[in-house]
Amino acid sequence: MSDERAKFEALPEDWDRALCIVAHPDDLEFGAAAAVARWTGQGKQVGYCMVTSGEAGIDGMHPDECRTVREAEQVESARVVGVDEVEFLHQPDGIVEYGVPLRRLLAEVIRRHRPEVVITGNFRDSWGGASLNQADHIAVGRAVLDAARDAGNRWIFPEQLTGDLEPWGGVKAVWAAGSPEARHAVDTTDTFDAGVASLEAHRAYIDGLGWENWDPREFLEGMARQTGAALGVAFAAPFEVYSLGWGD
């Protein structure tokens, strides 16, 4: 096996519950949804949480209308890959700020869902090279990483711990999908078509981008083949792993 192919390790799958927290509807569909389809097919429980509703994402559509359209598209997109729980936090699209309020909001979500793995999107400054990342992605990913730890400390945001809500220190790791620093991947060969269908469900958003002759399948296949070659399979999705365990 070449050095290029050897650089990716398969992600562990010895877990039962995951929570995906991303900035916008469609963020998971640009590669990670095929991995979600694999996991739900294994009987794992996966939930989605959208920090915004992507209401600023279509130039020709007013945010009030866009919010409704994009939420509906995300719910359908999630259904395609076996996810029936989609939560929207209704933070303002395009101007999400990293900080304590966002950490507090996400810690509460994690405490409610009690996942073993939290999945977010790439929150590096770029997608590799000169292709800059978007501000909401960076703010949300950083807050997810912190909130995954905050959730386990009863003295951080203790006002949340009323009724049945308890601290949750069971998050083993945060996985950032699509990171240019990814060193792990998931074989999505058998679920690639479901991933394509989940992206195609965002039809209004895709049409609003105005990318002439853009083909979701062709786009996803290019990325999945490259990652798959590094894992030794046909198609794969890349993830950067942040372990929450001591010494890992």
Side-chain angles (χ1 to χ4, degrees), residues 202-235:
H202 293 275
R203 178 49 55 191
Y205 176 68
I206 292 171
D207 290 346
L209 292 174
W211 294 344
E212 186 175 359
N213 299 320
W214 187 75
D215 184 336
R217 177 175 293 274
E218 182 180 0
F219 178 83
L220 291 175
E221 186 170 324
M223 296 189 301
R225 281 194 184 281
Q226 182 178 10
T227 306
L231 188 64
V233 298
F235 295 140

Side-chain angles (χ1 to χ4, degrees), residues 123-141:
F123 55 96
R124 297 275 181 176
D125 288 341
S126 78
W127 295 96
S131 181
L132 291 177
N133 202 350
Q134 197 262 357
D136 286 356
H137 299 158
I138 296 170
V140 169

